[in-house]
Amino acid sequence: MHMSDALVSPQVALGVGTVAAVLIATAIKRVKPYINEQLPLMGVLGAFVFAAQMINFTIPGTGSSGHITGGILLASLLGPWAAFLVLCSVLIIQCFLFADGGILALGCNMVNMAAISCLIAYPMIFSPFNRGSHNTIGRITLLSILTCLVSGVLGAVMVTIETEFSGITALPTAEFLSFMLPIHVVIGLMEGVATAAVLGMIMKSRPDLLDNTNHNHNTIIPLTLLTLTSLLVAGVLSLLASSSPDGLEWSIMNVTRGEEVVATGVLHNMADTVQQTTALLPDYNSSWAGIVGSLLLIVCALIVTYMLRRRPHSRSQSCHPHAEPHSSHEKE
């Protein structure tokens, strides 16, 4: 459901982008108290979702395809605010490195995909009924499917609203919505099944990871397994992805009868020029694209983790130049 710049006006891009920026600032503030413990897992899960998004699955009988968003899966394991930051990071890398989604539309994509799934659908449906010891595979499955379904439908509605306010006359709201809703109902259901399958496996092997309020898990083994799984999905399984247009592209093609929606404004041209410069692997035009994106997310998380863990030490040294070093017992 990555929107291109042609679907949004500068005014809508600015308005929704401001909302996205405020949400990101809020998320950073909310996650900051436990960021040191959480960042490695955030990076690896981001890599996993990035890789999983590359696997477009065919929707039979439509000529369309879909891919997971990953917001509900991330929120289940990280909590909503950390999940929102991870998904926004994925969208930023997809936009600038792979030209997947427009630069002007980046704020819209963050709201439609990350905010709606992590900050609205998850807290509204999944979280209130996800109660520790009372969880069962059946409950997790039902919650996953229902929450992903609601998330997909709300995202589809938001896309149509944003194109309407942008004045995209080629996409009349009623007709556009008549294609967007049913196709994203199907995509939401399929993502729900996939999310339930992953959470079900985690529930059997490491149920403690489903407690996203506990940020001190022993995650060495899960991090290693997720890293290997991400690279496998990105490098191998993504090659099996459907080449059919995704739900948004399919809906646009049906409404416009195959004609492309094009924007030629000054800001649109500037954004396109920037994206052509930054997109080293446009449209994932390399068999290494998935691995590159996944590794980039992991490396960024590790670098930030290292910087955050070094900062308190350097501060204490600068404030107390003659202080004696801590004992090994105190470090522990």
Side-chain angles (χ1 to χ4, degrees), residues 53-117:
Q53 284 193 12
M54 293 187 65
I55 305 177
N56 278 44
F57 45 81
T58 300
I59 301 175
T62 65
S64 177
S65 67
H67 64 75
I68 74 165
T69 299
I72 306 306
L73 176 62
L74 289 172
S76 301
L77 299 173
L78 298 171
W81 291 105
F84 173 73
L85 284 180
V86 170
L87 201 45
C88 285
S89 300
V90 171
L91 291 169
I92 290 170
I93 289 176
Q94 289 173 333
C95 174
F96 285 96
L97 187 59
F98 301 99
D100 190 3
I103 291 178
L104 289 180
L106 183 57
C108 292
N109 288 328
M110 288 178 172
V111 169
N112 302 344
M113 299 174 69
I116 284 179
S117 61

Side-chain angles (χ1 to χ4, degrees), residues 10-329:
Q11 294 85 352
V12 169
L14 177 61
V16 182
T18 300
V19 172
V22 170
L23 290 175
I24 289 173
T26 304
I28 292 172
K29 184 177 180 180
R30 296 288 294 268
V31 173
K32 190 175 181 180
Y34 55 86
I35 194 71
N36 283 350
E37 296 80 11
Q38 198 80 328
L39 255 175
L41 185 58
M42 289 169 65
V44 173
L45 284 172
F48 179 78
V49 167
F50 175 90
Q53 284 193 12
M54 293 187 65
I55 305 177
N56 278 44
F57 45 81
T58 300
I59 301 175
T62 65
S64 177
S65 67
H67 64 75
I68 74 165
T69 299
I72 306 306
L73 176 62
L74 289 172
S76 301
L77 299 173
L78 298 171
W81 291 105
F84 173 73
L85 284 180
V86 170
L87 201 45
C88 285
S89 300
V90 171
L91 291 169
I92 290 170
I93 289 176
Q94 289 173 333
C95 174
F96 285 96
L97 187 59
F98 301 99
D100 190 3
I103 291 178
L104 289 180
L106 183 57
C108 292
N109 288 328
M110 288 178 172
V111 169
N112 302 344
M113 299 174 69
I116 284 179
S117 61
C118 300
L119 305 181
I120 296 178
Y122 175 81
M124 182 175 68
I125 301 171
F126 196 103
S127 183
F129 300 99
N130 179 32
R131 297 303 181 196
S133 60
H134 299 291
N135 274 343
T136 63
I137 296 294
R139 179 192 289 263
I140 291 292
T141 300
L142 179 60
L143 289 176
S144 298
I145 293 174
L146 182 58
T147 312
C148 289
L149 174 60
V150 171
S151 176
V153 168
L154 290 178
V157 171
M158 277 300 298
V159 170
T160 59
I161 291 174
E162 287 156 359
T163 56
E164 171 66 21
F165 277 92
S166 294
I168 310 299
T169 56
L171 299 172
T173 302
E175 187 179 2
F176 191 29
L177 197 59
S178 71
F179 286 102
M180 284 288 286
L181 279 182
I183 201 70
H184 283 94
V185 164
V186 177
I187 293 173
L189 289 172
M190 296 179 77
E191 175 171 4
V193 172
T195 300
V198 175
L199 293 180
M201 288 188 290
I202 293 173
M203 186 176 179
K204 290 181 178 179
S205 58
R206 285 294 302 273
D208 59 298
L209 293 178
L210 295 178
D211 179 11
N212 57 36
T213 61
N214 178 11
H215 309 297
N216 295 306
H217 300 293
N218 178 11
T219 56
I220 294 178
I221 294 178
L223 285 175
T224 303
L225 292 176
L226 276 170
T227 300
L228 295 175
T229 302
S230 300
L231 296 179
L232 173 64
V233 171
V236 179
L237 297 183
S238 62
L239 299 177
L240 305 175
S242 171
S243 59
S244 300
D246 68 14
L248 174 56
E249 294 168 341
W250 176 84
S251 299
I252 292 172
M253 289 172 58
N254 277 279
V255 174
T256 64
R257 309 302 186 264
E259 293 186 13
E260 187 178 356
V261 179
V262 179
T264 56
V266 174
L267 288 179
H268 287 84
N269 291 335
M270 289 175 60
D272 183 61
T273 301
V274 171
Q275 195 170 56
Q276 288 182 21
T277 303
T278 62
L280 302 180
L281 296 170
D283 299 320
Y284 308 97
N285 62 359
S286 167
S287 58
W288 292 93
I291 293 177
V292 170
S294 298
L295 287 176
L296 183 58
L297 282 159
I298 294 172
V299 169
C300 287
L302 292 177
I303 291 174
V304 174
T305 301
Y306 175 79
M307 293 172 63
L308 288 172
R309 287 179 176 173
R310 293 279 293 178
R311 190 179 300 168
H313 177 72
S314 60
R315 280 181 179 175
S316 63
Q317 291 291 352
S318 62
C319 295
H320 305 285
H322 303 294
E324 295 181 2
H326 295 291
S327 68
S328 59
H329 175 72

